[in-house]
Amino acid sequence: MKEIDFKPILKELHLEAKNPGVCTGTEWKYTTGKFIESFSPSDGKLIAGVQQCGVEDYHEVIETAKEAFKSWRMVPAPKRGEVVRQIGLELRKYKEPLGKLVSYEMGKIYQEGLGEVQEMIDICDFAVGQSRQLYGFTMHSERAKHRMYDQYHPLGIVGVVSAFNFPVAVWAWNAMIALVAGDVVVWKPSSKVYLCAVAVHKIVAKVLKENSVPEGVLNLVAADSKVLGDTLFSDKNIPLVSFTGSTRIGKKVGRLVGERLGRSILELGGNNAIIITPNADLEMALRAVVFGAVGTCGQRCTSTRRIIMHESVYETFKQKLVAVYEKLPIGHALDETTLVGPLVDNWAVQDFRNAIERVKKEGGNIITGGKVLEGEDYSSGTYVRPCIAEVENHYDIVQEETFAPILYLIKYKTLEEAIQIHNDVPQGLSSALFSTNMLETETFLSHEGSDCGIANINIGTSGAEIGGAFGGEKETGGGRESGSDAWKAYMRRQTNTINFSTELPLAQGIEFSV
Ligand code: UN1
């Protein structure tokens, strides 16, 4: 790929060489934190830098957010939805440059960068509708002339801590729902993709200003986790923390938030599998497996990591897969012919290398890929050839999530065995089964089927739509965000009983006269 000049894109996104990393909506702050530069994993070039947030700046932001909540919660929900609608319109205007920045700073291919911005737009549309549907139930009271119902109130500050692999969409899933719920948001993005976060805040600032949204409703704190992580998780001012990241860190987040009896939405690691039965359409399965396993260079929490194949289709499918893998176009994420971009950084490459070594040590058979690429086009040192390995499910390395394109092949004889293998990992995010046989598909979706938060039929494990609740079971953390009724976690639920009689009857028929 010829050299790209990224300056015009930065200009379009209103980014400078040095950008402030703290924002309370429309006001930006150069702060006391360390200045950090962001390099593209595609070509190793400097993109721009961000002045990070320090602890004192953080406390100031929290004070502003607390104040903002007092008025924002009283704005009617459909009016809050109107602000979100305008954010969606603004994002549409910036879909291409923002998609490019996501691609260039994080390393996912441009198509996926565009897809990520589309997820933001979609959740805006969803949230606008939701702003008129923050429904509670009504109940019939056991007492005469009494009425009962439940209602949802705004919760307060929502802390959104997002990961590098979805630099902008995860914020939107949380923030747009939180906004219509009447909450205010403090976003701490991953330090690997600060520029994306700054760009998003520049885009939304215009809408906030035009609608006179108070400072402190949407906040950005670009801070090093070592500086701010524990402070934020332990902060009693934040009733809800939504954290996306590794299971290792997620356990700590759960503990710190739990110790103060705060709430958390945890979106942690996955170890997602696709079962391919003798009744699968193998061509469809092939496309789903390849997208799931090498898309985003294997760095989605929904990435396909294990293929559990019936012995009768094993060899045929394996050969098809290897043939596709061996001609995968690997290269610069912004080159439109690329299907596999780089890994995010050299740490990720090291994790990939270590995992391959462990696969071999435990007795696995590498059948293709597994090498770090060298040469002029790969001089950033972040490109790898996606790997396929034949393994057994119980290997320690197979039980772990490696955030890289390594796909494990496992053979089965009966569907019962396939489901048993499928569920026999600590994580429980996403899962899929390919079959046109109704007995197989329904078994997979039944109580004795997949134990994951997401279970699909004839669709891969990744690329979920925003309309469903997103999240997983077991070590994936149990959180749900985005669509369906995930909004309820962002609100405070209240049961109300109203007596419109002239008596005071007690519930359960208790007599108590004074
Ligand atoms: C993630 O990897 O953290 O289902 C989220 C998907 C995307 C979201 C992934 N919609 O693959």
Side-chain angles (χ1 to χ4, degrees):
M1 158 137 184
K2 64 174 173 37
E3 294 236 333
I4 59 152
D5 177 12
F6 209 72
K7 288 213 176 67
I9 312 282
L10 292 182
K11 201 160 169 234
E12 223 180 311
L13 293 167
H14 313 290
L15 292 176
E16 316 279 340
K18 289 187 175 180
N19 300 280
V22 176
C23 181
T24 52
T26 64
E27 286 169 16
W28 292 83
K29 281 218 294 179
Y30 282 96
T31 61
T32 56
K34 247 172 82 183
F35 181 71
I36 182 174
E37 291 177 319
S38 186
F39 298 86
S40 170
S42 275
D43 54 19
K45 284 200 192 135
L46 174 65
I47 312 173
V50 170
Q51 179 78 41
Q52 293 183 101
C53 175
V55 179
E56 278 169 33
D57 312 308
Y58 165 79
H59 289 301
E60 271 177 43
V61 169
I62 293 293
E63 285 312 310
T64 314
K66 273 165 71 178
E67 209 43 44
F69 176 61
K70 289 184 192 159
S71 55
W72 184 244
R73 65 185 170 182
M74 296 311 290
V75 174
K79 292 234 158 61
R80 298 192 295 249
E82 170 55 22
V83 173
V84 170
R85 190 183 70 82
Q86 292 177 33
I87 292 176
L89 293 179
E90 210 56 26
L91 285 169
R92 281 170 170 87
K93 290 189 205 154
Y94 287 92
K95 182 172 171 183
E96 289 183 8
L98 186 58
K100 276 194 182 138
L101 178 63
V102 166
S103 170
Y104 196 48
E105 191 179 26
M106 182 272 158
K108 64 175 67 179
I109 62 170
Y110 182 45
Q111 277 302 314
E112 292 186 288
L114 288 174
E116 184 166 352
V117 182
Q118 188 58 47
E119 283 199 47
M120 303 176 85
I121 295 168
D122 292 343
I123 197 71
C124 286
D125 289 356
F126 179 95
V128 175
Q130 191 65 64
S131 71
R132 291 184 185 266
Q133 299 174 84
L134 302 172
Y135 301 136
F137 289 118
T138 57
M139 286 71 76
H140 284 233
S141 170
E142 65 189 51
R143 288 169 279 189
K145 295 198 174 179
H146 280 58
R147 185 167 73 78
M148 285 175 79
Y149 74 108
D150 55 24
Q151 59 170 334
Y152 290 85
H153 293 296
L155 192 60
I157 302 178
V158 178
V160 178
V161 180
S162 60
F164 77 86
N165 64 336
F166 275 80
V168 293
V170 168
W171 168 81
W173 297 352
N174 284 281
M176 295 306 104
I177 299 292
L179 274 195
V180 298
D183 299 328
V184 300
V185 177
V186 175
W187 181 17
K188 190 180 106 49
S190 158
S191 58
K192 296 178 190 187
V193 287
Y194 278 158
L195 293 172
C196 289
V198 173
V200 165
H201 261 264
K202 296 241 164 168
I203 294 169
V204 299
K206 179 168 173 272
V207 177
L208 301 180
K209 194 169 184 169
E210 283 170 2
N211 289 276
S212 310
V213 173
E215 285 303 306
V217 170
L218 279 184
N219 307 276
L220 173 69
V221 290
D224 192 322
S225 294
K226 287 189 205 84
V227 176
L228 210 60
D230 292 9
T231 308
L232 190 152
F233 302 134
S234 309
D235 191 343
K236 286 190 182 141
N237 292 306
I238 303 186
L240 174 66
V241 174
S242 175
F243 172 84
T244 305
S246 69
T247 295
R248 189 176 64 83
I249 308 287
K251 284 182 179 168
K252 184 178 171 200
V253 176
R255 181 169 52 74
L256 289 176
V257 178
E259 266 168 14
R260 59 180 173 90
L261 298 182
R263 290 193 211 160
S264 52
I265 295 176
L266 300 176
E267 302 287 350
L268 314 177
N271 195 345
N272 319 297
I274 298 183
I275 298 177
I276 299 178
T277 84
N279 299 302
D281 176 330
L282 291 188
E283 290 309 315
M284 247 168 76
L286 184 65
R287 288 176 51 202
V289 168
V290 176
F291 178 69
V294 310
T296 328
C297 203
Q299 299 167 106
R300 290 193 191 210
C301 51
T302 53
S303 289
T304 308
R305 314 229 173 264
R306 298 175 297 141
I307 304 296
I308 305 164
M309 271 185 278
H310 190 262
E311 54 183 4
S312 65
V313 291
Y314 188 93
E315 282 305 321
T316 317
F317 195 77
K318 180 173 111 180
Q319 276 165 26
K320 282 179 189 285
L321 207 50
V322 171
V324 174
Y325 263 60
E326 291 189 342
K327 52 181 192 355
L328 280 173
I330 304 170
H332 198 296
L334 282 172
D335 182 338
E336 298 231 28
T337 60
T338 298
L339 288 182
V340 184
L343 282 170
V344 67
D345 58 18
N346 296 104
W347 297 105
V349 174
Q350 201 47 48
D351 284 348
F352 175 79
R353 277 206 176 99
N354 294 345
I356 304 281
E357 280 318 303
R358 286 179 58 195
V359 170
K360 289 186 197 155
K361 235 190 217 151
E362 291 198 63
N365 176 26
I366 308 284
I367 52 180
T368 188
K371 295 263 181 312
V372 178
L373 296 176
E374 286 168 4
E376 206 190 324
D377 288 345
Y378 305 125
S379 58
S380 57
T382 45
Y383 290 91
V384 300
R385 186 161 287 284
C387 173
I388 303 178
E390 294 180 295
V391 299
E392 285 176 33
N393 196 61
H394 63 81
Y395 292 177
D396 287 345
I397 187 68
V398 177
Q399 294 280 313
E400 288 173 26
E401 177 192 54
T402 304
F403 231 47
I406 305 174
L407 183 64
Y408 300 123
L409 305 186
I410 300 159
K411 215 181 265 181
Y412 80 87
K413 283 191 171 67
T414 64
L415 185 61
E416 197 186 352
E417 183 195 1
I419 292 173
Q420 191 272 326
I421 293 170
H422 177 277
N423 291 346
D424 193 11
V425 288
Q427 311 82 353
L429 178 54
S430 186
S431 62
L433 178 135
F434 274 77
S435 170
T436 52
N437 177 313
M438 194 255 254
L439 303 187
E440 290 179 333
T441 58
E442 290 294 323
T443 303
F444 185 68
L445 300 179
S446 76
H447 303 325
E448 58 182 7
S450 164
D451 64 0
C452 291
I454 297 170
N456 296 333
I457 299 296
N458 297 327
I459 290 177
T461 59
S462 66
E465 298 178 21
I466 59 93
F470 182 88
E473 302 298 322
K474 303 193 296 188
E475 286 195 0
T476 303
R480 291 296 184 278
E481 58 192 16
S482 193
S484 186
D485 66 349
W487 62 270
K488 289 181 177 170
Y490 298 78
M491 301 199 80
R492 175 167 68 77
R493 184 177 186 147
Q494 186 173 64
T495 302
N496 306 111
T497 308
I498 298 154
N499 176 4
F500 57 99
S501 75
T502 51
E503 310 286 316
L504 190 71
L506 297 179
Q508 297 91 43
I510 292 175
E511 289 293 342
F512 191 86
S513 321
V514 283

